[in-house]
């Protein structure tokens, strides 16, 4: 009996030794314990998306269980690919920026069926994937001025927070002033305000997984006040739902959803690049101000978005919450393997997630606070340089007011190019940006005709 046990021990030791070598534990000065803790930390800080993404997308008429399943599958694929092939501690999941655009702009405001919107996501992800294999993707990134990139990020944050405030009934429609303060005695409103307060206090005190923990605490309080009823079963076998393979690619093409595809692509491009570079710098993984193995990292996100569209969710993106895992010592893709495994376990928790998602006080605070995090990009704009700052300001301001990421970005690009032309600095503008300007002008004119 000793021989098989001895051989098993030797094989397991060799397996874990090879894992260390593959993930470069020695070179990056880390170990299994540190990477596991980092993975758990990252998961806890981003676990809110399991509830929040199905909650937002189900407003389009999509099946909650289907989106829940798609959210987890896309996250698992993205995290595994990023961890195994890129070897970075950067977790991937459906983006709050694009799911808000998908739901409130494309489907609800523009009236496009969610199946066609998923088709647009699929096409965008496919373009993203193909361009990740070339240098064109970097050229697109370089064509957009840094001030406008920051304006786009902040604008999306303000838009997300605005949606959260509406869901919480803190801000409501008004016939005289368009929007106004809601009724603070409304249970949805005061419970949402309590949820915001709890989450903010947890964040200020550096509690790991503050957003997720805040959702759990407000859920418990809501249960005791009778605002939540427990489901018949807390855990269940995973269900595909009715979103699998429902993307209508031909419908997206035949109905000329090219500006929507373009918006998904641009938003994902900037979100992905900015987050990856920021976390890589934090982890000390940049070499000579370059991002090693960047192609595999970009491919991880585009493949996750493709899988997500097939199963039924909006585009994915690297999560800034990965920085919490890096702060805990995570330096390799092994921590991403841990994140993926924890996501897989959540596949069985759909019933309780569905109940929590139906309570605005549980989900709205997370939307508002995530929007707040994205506002930090405004500090990186040079407000003394009006040529750079004013187009960024227009993007930031118009996103929530026009309820359209596309229109805000388009107006910002057109304004930037025109300012440079009339200031005699047209050569400072990348040729691709002029191409984008013409495309947006054609779009705006076509809408008015």
């Amino acid at each position: 009996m000793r021989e098989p046990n001895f051989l098993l021990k030797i094989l397991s030791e060799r397996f874990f030794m090879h894992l260390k070598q593959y993930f470069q534990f020695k070179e990056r000065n880390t170990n299994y314990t540190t990477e596991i803790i980092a993975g758990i930390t990252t998961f806890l800080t981003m676990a809110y998306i399991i509830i929040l993404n199905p909650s937002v997308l189900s407003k389009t008429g999509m099946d909650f269980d289907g989106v829940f399943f798609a959210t987890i599958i896309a996250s698992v694929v993205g995290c595994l690919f990023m961890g195994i092939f890129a070897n970075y501690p950067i977790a991937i999941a459906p983006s709050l920026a694009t799911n808000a655009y998908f739901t409130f702009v494309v489907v609800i405001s523009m009236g496009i069926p969610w199946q066609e919107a998923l088709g647009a996501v699929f096409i965008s992800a496919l373009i993203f994937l193909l361009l990740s294999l070339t240098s064109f993707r970097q050229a697109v990134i370089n064509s957009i001025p840094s001030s406008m990139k920051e304006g786009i990020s902040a604008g999306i944050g303000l838009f997300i927070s605005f949606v959260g405030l509406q869901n919480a009934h803190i801000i409501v429609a008004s016939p005289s002033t368009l929007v106004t303060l809601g009724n603070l005695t409304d249970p949805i409103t005061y419970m949402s305000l309590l949820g915001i307060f709890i989450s903010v206090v947890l964040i200020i005190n550096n509690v790991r997984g503050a957003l997720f923990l805040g959702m759990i605490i407000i859920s418990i309080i809501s249960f005791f006040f009778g605002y939540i009823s427990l489901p018949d079963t807390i855990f269940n076998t995973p269900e595909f739902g009715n979103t699998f393979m429902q993307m209508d690619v031909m419908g997206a093409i035949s109905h000329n959803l090219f500006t929507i595809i373009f918006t998904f692509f641009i938003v994902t491009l900037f979100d992905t690049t900015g987050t990856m570079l920021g976390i890589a710098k934090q982890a000390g993984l940049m070499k000579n101000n370059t991002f090693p193995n960047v192609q595999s990292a970009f491919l991880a996100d585009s493949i996750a978005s493709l899988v997500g569209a097939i199963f039924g969710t909006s585009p994915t993106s690297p999560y800034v919450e990965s920085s919490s895992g890096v702060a805990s010592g995570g330096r390799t893709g092994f921590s991403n393997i841990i994140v993926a495994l924890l996501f897989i376990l959540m596949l069985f928790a759909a019933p309780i997630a569905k109940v929590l998602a139906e309570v605005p006080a549980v989900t709205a605070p997370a939307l508002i606070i995530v929007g707040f995090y994205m506002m930090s990009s405004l500090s990186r704009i040079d407000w003394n340089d009006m040529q750079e700052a004013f187009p960024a300001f227009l993007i930031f301001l118009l996103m929530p007011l026009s309820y359209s990421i596309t229109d805000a970005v388009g107006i910002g690009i057109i304004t930037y190019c025109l300012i440079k032309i009339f200031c005699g600095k047209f050569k400072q503008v990348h040729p691709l940006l002029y191409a984008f300007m013409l495309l947006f002008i054609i779009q705006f004119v076509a809408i008015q005709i």
Side-chain angles (χ1 to χ4, degrees):
M1 293 296 290
R2 285 184 178 181
E3 187 174 351
N5 290 336
F6 177 74
L7 288 174
L8 185 62
K9 182 180 179 181
I10 293 295
L11 289 173
S12 64
E13 286 178 352
R14 287 183 177 178
F15 173 74
F16 285 110
M17 181 182 68
H18 285 305
L19 271 184
K20 285 183 180 180
Q21 292 174 348
Y22 181 83
F23 287 107
Q24 301 176 352
F25 277 20
K26 185 177 180 180
E27 292 86 342
R28 300 189 184 182
N29 193 28
T30 187
N31 54 60
Y32 279 117
T33 302
T34 300
E35 294 297 308
I36 290 171
I37 291 173
I40 294 171
T41 302
T42 295
F43 174 78
L44 288 175
T45 57
M46 65 183 293
Y48 63 85
I49 196 62
I50 297 172
I51 299 171
L52 208 53
N53 194 53
S55 172
V56 172
L57 293 185
S58 62
K59 296 180 187 298
T60 66
M62 297 176 72
D63 176 57
F64 183 96
D65 290 331
V67 179
F68 179 84
F69 189 89
T71 299
I72 292 179
I73 292 301
S75 303
V76 169
V77 169
C79 288
L80 287 178
F81 200 103
M82 179 70 78
I84 294 172
F85 296 104
N87 196 22
Y88 283 120
I90 304 173
I92 291 175
S95 164
L96 277 178
T98 50
N99 76 4
Y101 174 68
F102 182 103
T103 299
F104 299 106
V105 178
V106 178
V107 178
I108 294 178
S109 180
M110 300 176 67
I112 294 169
W114 60 263
Q115 293 89 342
E116 290 185 15
L118 277 180
V121 172
F122 183 85
I123 296 170
S124 171
L126 189 59
I127 295 171
F128 206 58
L129 175 63
L130 295 175
L131 291 183
S132 295
L133 300 172
T134 71
S135 60
F136 181 77
R137 179 170 175 173
Q138 193 63 44
V140 173
I141 295 170
N142 294 337
S143 72
I144 308 295
S146 59
S147 59
M148 292 183 65
K149 292 174 186 175
E150 307 299 354
I152 290 170
S153 179
I156 291 171
L158 190 60
F159 181 75
I160 291 172
S161 291
F162 185 52
V163 169
L165 290 169
Q166 288 178 297
N167 290 347
H169 296 184
I170 296 171
I171 294 295
V172 296
S174 167
S176 56
T177 60
L178 295 182
V179 292
T180 189
L181 189 66
N183 181 6
L184 299 183
T185 63
D186 181 345
I188 292 176
T189 306
Y190 64 70
M191 290 299 290
S192 297
L193 288 170
L194 179 60
I196 294 169
F197 177 77
I198 291 171
S199 295
V200 168
V201 169
L202 291 172
I203 292 168
I204 291 172
N205 285 280
N206 298 316
V207 176
R208 289 177 180 173
L211 277 181
F212 184 66
L213 187 57
M215 295 172 82
I216 298 301
I217 292 173
I218 199 65
S219 299
I220 294 171
I221 295 172
S222 297
F223 171 75
F224 282 112
F225 275 87
Y227 300 132
I228 291 180
S229 299
L230 289 177
D232 295 332
T233 177
I234 302 229
F235 300 103
N236 204 350
T237 53
E239 296 182 16
F240 264 29
N242 65 0
T243 60
F244 179 65
M245 289 295 292
Q246 293 299 306
M247 73 277 189
D248 186 359
V249 175
M250 295 310 299
I253 295 173
S254 63
H255 289 104
N256 299 319
L257 303 186
F258 300 115
T259 56
I260 293 170
I261 294 168
F262 174 74
T263 301
F264 278 133
F265 172 75
I266 288 295
V267 171
T268 306
L269 178 68
F270 296 150
D271 196 12
T272 299
T273 306
T275 303
M276 283 187 183
L277 291 177
I279 295 172
K281 286 179 182 177
Q282 179 191 359
L285 300 176
M286 300 286 285
K287 294 182 180 179
N288 299 321
N289 206 31
T290 61
F291 193 2
N293 206 16
V294 65
Q295 191 175 76
S296 295
F298 283 149
L299 284 172
D301 186 46
S302 53
I303 290 172
S305 286
L306 273 175
V307 171
I310 292 169
F311 280 87
T313 186
S314 50
T316 60
S317 175
Y319 263 55
V320 71
E321 285 83 356
S322 303
S323 60
S324 63
V326 171
S328 299
R331 293 294 181 272
T332 75
F334 188 79
S335 65
N336 255 24
I337 308 299
I338 303 301
V339 175
L341 291 175
L342 293 172
F343 266 117
I344 290 172
L345 291 177
M346 292 297 104
L347 277 172
F348 302 91
I352 189 65
K354 191 172 185 178
V355 168
L356 297 181
E358 293 173 351
V359 181
V362 175
T363 56
L367 284 171
I368 294 165
I369 293 170
V370 168
F372 160 78
Y373 280 136
M374 297 179 73
M375 301 292 288
S376 63
S377 61
L378 289 176
S379 65
R380 294 186 287 273
I381 297 175
D382 182 3
W383 293 100
N384 294 317
D385 185 351
M386 195 168 184
Q387 293 182 36
E388 298 292 328
F390 188 71
F393 166 74
L394 286 179
I395 293 173
F396 161 72
L397 181 66
L398 289 175
M399 271 193 200
L401 295 183
S402 67
Y403 230 72
S404 173
I405 295 173
T406 313
D407 292 346
V409 171
I411 290 172
I413 288 176
I414 293 170
T415 303
Y416 183 87
C417 291
L418 291 178
I419 287 175
K420 290 296 183 181
I421 289 171
F422 284 97
C423 288
K425 299 180 179 179
F426 61 92
K427 290 185 179 180
Q428 293 183 3
V429 180
H430 196 287
L432 273 176
L433 204 62
Y434 284 125
F436 292 152
M437 178 187 73
L438 291 175
L439 288 173
F440 276 116
I441 289 174
I442 293 170
Q443 175 197 346
F444 288 137
V445 171
I447 289 173
Q448 300 301 319
I449 296 176

